[in-house]
Amino acid sequence: MSTAANSIAFVSSDTADAKAALASLSGRYGQCSVAEAAVVVALGGDGFLLQTLRDTMGTGKKVYGMNRGTIGFLMNEYRSGGLTERIAAAVAETIRPLEMLAVTSEGETVSALAINEVALWRQSYQTAKIRISVDDQIRLEELSCDGVMIATPAGSTAYNLSAHGPILPLDAPLLALTPVSPFRPRRWRGALLSNKATVRFDILEPEKRPVNAAADHTEVKAVTSVTVRESPAATATLLFDPNHSWNERILAEQFRY
């Protein structure tokens, strides 16, 4: 892709390193508004990159992240030189978020998008009891657990991985259904689902065992049901240096110990 220097918008998290990088890069390459930019360069960690993707979703803008955070799994290496050439040579990866439709105990309906995962977890000291249906067919009558989530390939190395869920290649047409501390059925460790599947979680005993839900950072308290599917329309596009693609990182992560 070709990118003029003046079509780049630099944005940063609130950390000192990220702010310093913002000042340095905008002084070197110029700065335009996010609305006018073809490419948004996000300076920070993975969380800030995801926030930038949410802010630009559906606009057609491409996001190129450079790590000024900690782990930076989704980020390119930070270097101040040769940025326009790096962006021009970058590989684009288009991802689709999940759509969450949550119904609360008060009858309110809340919708939100999630790039990483839609997660449910218990709100009290008692385990949650959740019925799971896939494409209108009940697959698990009662899961007793601390929580459960649906993760995208993009999110499979985040919360999903910490709950011992599978790592998914970015281009895999799959979603990971992963329990968090399952108690019954004790041996159930989750499932791999088609990305075309619609998953519904019904909360059993919601007054006695209240459950919260979150689509990435959008949290809904005291839900009675949550329906999740991949968005058919919304997209976000990430740019990666060709020698350090997302799929390469995911493959390498599976061989770490």
Side-chain angles (χ1 to χ4, degrees), residues 47-60:
F48 182 72
L49 177 66
L50 290 172
Q51 182 59 55
T52 304
L53 286 171
R54 282 188 287 268
D55 292 343
T56 58
M57 192 177 296
T59 65

Side-chain angles (χ1 to χ4, degrees), residues 70 73 79 83 97 122 128 138 150 176 183 214 246:
T70 50
F73 185 83
R79 296 197 306 271
L83 180 58
R122 63 187 175 99
I138 296 174
I150 290 280
F183 180 63
W246 198 341

Side-chain angles (χ1 to χ4, degrees), residues 10-27 43-44 48 68-69 78:
F10 295 96
V11 296
S12 79
S13 66
D14 290 330
T15 67
D17 284 348
K19 288 182 176 180
L22 173 65
S24 173
L25 293 172
S26 58
L43 305 164
F48 182 72
R68 291 285 81 188
Y78 177 77

Side-chain angles (χ1 to χ4, degrees), residues 162-218:
S162 71
H164 307 290
I167 297 175
L168 303 177
L170 189 62
D171 55 0
L174 298 170
L175 301 173
L177 173 61
T178 302
V180 180
S181 301
F183 180 63
R184 292 284 190 276
R186 189 176 295 276
R187 290 189 173 88
W188 189 68
R189 291 295 178 263
L192 290 175
L193 305 177
S194 164
N195 63 344
K196 304 303 181 186
T198 298
V199 182
R200 179 183 169 103
F201 303 99
D202 287 290
I203 312 308
L204 308 178
E205 305 177 40
E207 293 183 1
K208 181 181 179 182
R209 304 171 185 270
V211 169
N212 292 351
D216 286 349
H217 71 303
T218 302

